[in-house]
């Protein structure tokens, strides 16, 4: 009889594996750094078991990945946009930041209001 695994374990395991491979770490090297066995890494990556919060936290530290990335996938569009805005604002005079922040808030409200009017 074929065993059915929890979808969340399959999803998290696949994302963990992708992050590990992107970091160019073997299961063995990753397991050693996280403090678990290579077999346990394989079990997590294949979705056979779920990772504890302690293991997830340590994995994030080793991989330089966020828990959001491992739990929910790639960075959201809002997060990417936020990082882009932060980079754009990095060289701005700090005295101008409150003015720019209020301007952005106003623009967000205007766009939201315009979208509401478009919806039938």
């Amino acid at each position: 009889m074929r065993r059915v695994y929890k979808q969340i374990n399959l999803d998290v395991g696949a994302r963990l594996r992708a992050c590990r491979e992107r970091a160019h770490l073997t299961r063995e090297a990753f397991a050693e750094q996280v403090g678990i066995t290579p077999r346990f890494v394989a079990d997590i990556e294949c979705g056979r078991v779920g990772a504890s919060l302690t293991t997830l936290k340590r994995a994030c530290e080793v991989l330089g990945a966020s828990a959001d990335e491992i739990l929910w996938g790639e960075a959201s569009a809002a997060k990417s946009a936020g990082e882009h805005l932060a980079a754009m604002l990095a060289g701005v005079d700090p005295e101008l930041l409150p003015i720019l922040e209020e301007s952005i808030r106003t623009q967000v409200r205007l766009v939201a209001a315009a979208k509401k009017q478009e919806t039938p």
Side-chain angles (χ1 to χ4, degrees):
M1 186 168 157
R2 185 168 183 229
R3 182 169 171 142
V4 178
Y5 301 115
K6 293 180 182 178
Q7 189 60 49
I8 190 163
N9 290 348
L10 294 167
D11 295 342
V12 169
R15 289 190 285 266
L16 185 69
R17 180 179 183 171
C19 288
R20 176 184 60 77
E21 290 176 344
R22 194 169 50 243
H24 304 288
L25 289 173
T26 63
R27 279 186 179 153
E28 291 75 17
F30 176 69
E32 184 176 326
Q33 291 181 45
V34 174
I36 57 179
T37 66
R39 179 66 199 176
F40 191 56
V41 173
D43 287 344
I44 293 170
E45 289 181 351
C46 294
R48 286 189 284 270
V49 297
S52 69
L53 289 176
T54 302
T55 299
L56 178 62
K57 180 180 184 287
R58 186 71 187 123
C60 289
E61 293 167 348
V62 167
L63 297 171
S66 71
D68 284 353
E69 182 177 358
I70 293 173
L71 293 173
W72 287 281
E74 289 300 317
S76 68
K79 182 179 177 187
S80 296
E83 290 169 352
H84 182 68
L85 284 171
M88 287 173 40
L89 296 172
V92 171
D93 180 347
E95 290 180 14
L96 296 175
L97 290 176
I99 297 165
L100 290 169
E101 186 177 343
E102 184 55 36
S103 177
I104 291 169
R105 280 196 181 105
T106 301
Q107 291 298 316
V108 169
R109 284 193 298 270
L110 290 171
V111 169
K115 281 193 166 214
K116 274 187 179 180
Q117 289 180 349
E118 289 177 1
T119 324

